[in-house]
Amino acid sequence: MTSDIHVDVRNLSFNRGDRMIYDGLNVSFPRGKVTAIMGPSGTGKTTLLRLIGGQLRAEKGEGEVLVDGKDVGLMARNDLLALRRDKMGMLFQTSGLFTDLNVFENVAFPLRVHTKLPEDMIRDLVLMKLEAVGLRGARDMQPAELSGGMIRRVALARSIAMDPELIMYDEPFTGLDPISMGMIVRLIRGLNKALGLTSLLVSHDVDESCAIADYLCILSGGKVIGFGSPEELKNEGNDEVKQFLTGDPDGPVPFHYPANDYRQDLLGSSK
Amino acid sequence: MINRIAAIGRYGTASIQSIGRAGQLLLNSLLWGGPGSAGFSDLIKQIYSVGVRSLSIIVVAGFFVGMVLALQGYNILVKFGSVSALGTMVSLTLLRELGPVMAALLFAGRAGSALTAEIGLMKATEQLSAMEMMGVDPLKRVVTPRLWAGIISVPLLALLFSTVGIWGGAFVSVDLLGLYDGAYWGNMQNTVIFYDDVIQGLIKASVFGLVVTWIAVYQGYDSVPTSEGIGKATTQTVVISSLAVLGLDFVLTAVMLGSI
Ligand SMILES: Nc1ncnc2c1ncn2[C@@H]1O[C@H](COP(=O)(O)OP(=O)(O)OP(=O)(O)O)[C@@H](O)[C@H]1O
Ligand SMILES: [Mg+2]
C-alpha cells in the first residue's frame, strides 16, 4: 500500500476531440512530496489532473492511471466517489465555489455531507481551515462578494477540509497578490510537511514552483520532457527544459498553437 | 449526397445517445434517491424556488383563463339555452385539461428555464466538478431534490390554477353576466366527480411535472458549459418540454377517456 509512488501514470494515451493530448505518457509522482507540473498552456496539465481524479477516463487499453496501485480508470462510480472523499482533494482552476452558500458553508459542505460530526465540532474545524487561509473574518460573506484571490483561498480551505492524502492544485497562484501568494506557498509547503500530503501543483510561476516543489515535472507535446529536482533540471535539463525555466520565447518549444503560414494567412491565399 | 446522408445519420445517433443519457440521468437520480436523499431541508428549498416562486404567475394566469372560458362558454351555451351548464363546463375544462397543461407550460417557462440555467451555470463554473472531486454525487445532491420538487409542485400548482380559474369564471358569469350563482356552483357540484375529474387531472399534472423537470435538469446537466451553450439549453428546455406536455396530454387523455 504505502509504496514510494503515490500516483503512477503508465503508458497513457488520451485524445480530446481530434486533438491528441497524450501519447504514451509515463510519469510517477512520489508519495509525500510536492511535485510541480509545468508546461506550456494547452499541453494538458488540467487534463492530467482530471485523469488522476477519474473525471476523465482513458479508453480501454490506452494506459493506466494508478492511485495507490488501483486503476482509477477502471473503478466503479461509487468506489471512485469513496476514493475522492477519503483520499483526494482538488483545487480547480476556476475554484468551483458553491455560489448559493456562504464562505463558512462552502468549507463546511464536505464535512456536513460525509461526517456526522456535531455542529460545534464542524464549526471549530471550519474556523481552523479558514484561519489557515486568513479568511476567518470573511466567514459570512457570499462568494459573489469576494475578490478573485479570496475565492481561491476559500476553495483551498474547502479542498483540505477532509484532510486528504493526495491534493491537486490547479494554478493556485494566479490572481494572488504577493502577500497571499507567499501565504499560500507556505500553506502548501506546511500541509505537505505536517501531514505528509502528496501534492501535485500545476503552476506557471517558475520561481514559486522551484521554491516549494521537491520535483518538477515538465510536460510538452504530450510527453514528459523533464522530471527531477529544480536544481537538477536547471543544470542538467535539455534545451527545451531550460527554455521553459528561463521563459525564452525562442527555442525548441513553440509558443504558437500549430497554424499555417502567417504571411499567407494575412494575404488570404489559404483558408 | 453521401455527406448529407452521413449528417442525417450523425444527427440520428446523437439524438438517440442524448435520449439514452437523459434516461440514465433519470434512473440514477430517481431510483437512487427518494425525495429526502439530500436532506429534507434541501427539498423544501427547491420546492420553494421552483414551486412557491411560480405562485404569482399561476394565480394571475389562472384567473384570466377562467374569465375567458366563462365568457366564451356563455356565448356558446346561450345559443342552446343551457347557460346553467356554464359552471360545469368551466370547471371540467380546467380540472381535466387546462389546469394541468397550462400550469405545466407556465412552469416550464418560469421554473424549467431557470433550473436549466442554474445547473448549466454550476457546470460552467466547475461547481459540479468540485462536488464530484469531494466524493459527492451531483446527481444525488443537485438533480434528485430538483426533480422531486418539480414532481411535487406541478400538481399543486395545477390544482391552484383550476381553483383560481373557477373563481375567475364565477366572477365573469355571476358578477358580470348576471348568471344565478346557484346554477354556476350547484351544477358544478353535481357533475364534477372527484375520482374521475380531479384525480385524473392531478395524475396528468404529476406526469407533466416529472417530464418538464426532467427535461430541464437534463438540458442543464448536458449543456455545453459556456454562456452560449447555456442560452441554447435554456431555449431547448422551453421548446422541448412544451411540446412534450402537449403531446403527452393527448396520449394521457386518450388513455384516461379510453375512447380510442
Ligand atoms: N472539454 C474539452 N473538449 C475538447 N478539448 C478540450 C477540452 N478541454 C480542453 N481541451 C483541449 O485540451 C488541451 C489541453 O487542455 P488543458 O486544459 O488540459 O490544458 P492546460 O495544460 O491545463 O492549459 P492551461 O495552462 O492554459 O490551463 C487544450 O488544447 C484544449 O484545447
Ligand atoms: Mg489548465
Side-chain angles (χ1 to χ4, degrees):
Chain A
M1 247 328 244
T2 47
S3 79
D4 294 345
I5 302 301
H6 198 152
V7 179
D8 200 4
V9 178
R10 289 190 193 155
N11 206 15
L12 177 77
S13 299
F14 190 73
N15 293 321
R16 274 200 127 152
D18 295 334
R19 197 171 134 77
M20 193 200 45
I21 312 279
Y22 292 116
D23 184 16
L25 180 75
N26 280 295
V27 58
S28 306
F29 297 105
R31 184 179 300 276
K33 303 284 183 201
V34 179
T35 307
I37 301 169
M38 310 185 78
S41 208
T43 29
K45 303 180 294 297
T46 302
T47 306
L48 181 60
L49 295 191
R50 283 184 186 271
L51 282 161
I52 295 171
Q55 289 192 309
L56 294 173
R57 292 175 188 229
E59 304 270 321
K60 265 218 172 70
E62 300 278 86
E64 309 177 297
V65 179
L66 305 177
V67 175
D68 275 333
K70 288 197 214 77
D71 191 345
V72 289
L74 299 178
M75 272 187 184
R77 188 185 172 84
N78 282 332
D79 296 338
L80 196 56
L81 287 173
L83 175 78
R84 293 170 180 158
R85 177 188 68 208
D86 300 332
K87 308 256 162 96
M88 279 188 192
M90 178 150 171
L91 179 65
F92 283 86
Q93 207 162 349
T94 53
S95 300
L97 284 192
F98 303 133
T99 41
D100 57 337
L101 300 179
N102 68 14
V103 166
F104 183 95
E105 288 302 324
N106 259 287
V107 181
F109 180 85
L111 297 168
R112 288 198 199 287
V113 179
H114 293 314
T115 70
K116 292 206 159 55
L117 294 175
E119 189 56 36
D120 52 342
M121 206 183 271
I122 288 188
R123 196 185 117 90
D124 291 351
L125 284 172
V126 171
L127 292 184
M128 275 158 61
K129 305 293 176 192
L130 282 175
E131 174 73 15
V133 296
L135 288 177
R136 193 163 46 85
R139 75 185 93 161
D140 294 325
M141 290 169 86
Q142 295 293 325
E145 302 171 302
L146 302 176
S147 74
M150 288 162 88
I151 288 177
R152 203 158 282 275
R153 284 148 68 189
V154 176
L156 181 59
R158 187 179 65 180
S159 57
I160 56 175
M162 291 289 288
D163 298 321
E165 295 171 7
L166 165 68
I167 184 155
M168 299 183 270
Y169 307 97
D170 199 352
E171 306 196 12
F173 305 132
T174 34
L176 292 184
D177 62 86
I179 299 175
S180 325
M181 168 117 84
M183 206 196 66
I184 299 287
V185 166
R186 271 196 306 271
L187 190 69
I188 291 177
R189 192 72 257 189
L191 281 169
N192 167 255
K193 279 250 170 60
L195 306 171
L197 282 185
T198 307
S199 314
L200 305 186
L201 167 77
V202 168
S203 172
H204 292 300
D205 290 87
V206 176
D207 295 337
E208 264 68 32
S209 304
C210 290
I212 69 172
D214 299 300
Y215 298 102
L216 297 184
C217 167
I218 304 199
L219 296 173
S220 179
K223 288 236 163 20
V224 176
I225 58 169
F227 193 102
S229 71
E231 296 74 39
E232 262 168 42
L233 287 186
K234 271 185 189 155
N235 300 328
E236 297 153 30
N238 58 23
D239 291 348
E240 271 182 278
V241 172
K242 282 187 180 147
Q243 180 206 350
F244 194 80
L245 293 178
T246 53
D248 196 346
D250 293 316
V253 182
F255 163 66
H256 293 283
Y257 195 88
N260 53 10
D261 187 66
Y262 187 39
R263 230 174 80 85
Q264 278 187 2
D265 222 359
L266 287 179
L267 293 174
S269 56
S270 68
K271 263 241 151 153
Chain B
M1 188 60 196
I2 293 290
N3 276 345
R4 228 169 278 166
I5 294 173
I8 295 173
R10 260 199 303 280
Y11 181 78
T13 44
S15 316
I16 291 171
Q17 275 174 354
S18 159
I19 292 173
R21 281 199 302 275
Q24 231 172 10
L25 172 129
L26 186 69
L27 283 184
N28 285 341
S29 48
L30 274 194
L31 287 194
W32 279 6
S37 69
F40 271 99
S41 64
D42 236 44
L43 180 68
I44 301 293
K45 210 162 106 184
Q46 292 310 324
I47 291 181
Y48 176 79
S49 87
V50 299
V52 177
R53 291 210 178 148
S54 305
L55 281 179
S56 51
I57 184 176
I58 291 287
V59 168
V60 173
F63 199 72
F64 280 119
V65 168
M67 291 204 301
V68 169
L69 265 182
L71 207 53
Q72 292 281 13
Y74 185 87
N75 278 296
I76 295 168
L77 292 177
V78 80
K79 289 180 191 154
F80 301 96
S82 43
V83 280
S84 56
L86 189 56
T88 306
M89 194 216 87
V90 169
S91 57
L92 286 185
T93 315
L94 280 166
L95 287 169
R96 283 188 183 168
E97 279 303 326
L98 289 183
V101 170
M102 291 293 294
L105 292 179
L106 293 170
F107 183 84
R110 163 68 187 73
S113 55
L115 273 180
T116 304
E118 186 194 13
I119 294 182
L121 213 59
M122 290 178 88
K123 184 175 178 184
T125 52
E126 294 190 320
Q127 295 182 45
L128 298 183
S129 295
M131 220 175 249
E132 276 184 6
M133 285 308 297
M134 283 186 263
V136 179
D137 186 351
L139 282 181
K140 247 185 184 168
R141 198 74 209 174
V142 175
V143 173
T144 306
R146 283 167 176 76
L147 267 177
W148 278 109
I151 297 172
I152 294 170
S153 300
V154 174
L156 297 176
L157 292 174
L159 205 56
L160 180 71
F161 187 98
S162 302
T163 311
V164 176
I166 291 169
W167 275 334
F171 173 68
V172 166
S173 39
V174 178
D175 298 326
L176 300 187
L177 300 173
L179 187 74
Y180 172 51
D181 66 349
Y184 187 85
W185 295 109
N187 286 339
M188 186 189 306
Q189 214 169 24
N190 290 335
T191 43
V192 175
I193 304 164
F194 183 74
Y195 283 103
D196 283 359
D197 304 318
V198 180
I199 294 292
Q200 288 196 357
L202 287 180
I203 292 174
K204 267 189 187 174
S206 313
V207 175
F208 295 160
L210 168 68
V211 170
V212 171
T213 331
W214 175 26
I215 292 172
V217 292
Y218 170 71
Q219 287 291 339
Y221 205 76
D222 206 53
S223 63
V224 181
T226 57
S227 32
E228 194 197 355
I230 295 171
K232 202 175 139 204
T234 312
T235 315
Q236 291 264 40
T237 293
V238 177
V239 172
I240 297 176
S241 56
S242 304
L243 292 179
V245 165
L246 295 172
L248 264 177
D249 183 45
F250 176 73
V251 175
L252 288 175
T253 308
V255 171
M256 285 173 178
L257 294 180
S259 53
I260 290 184

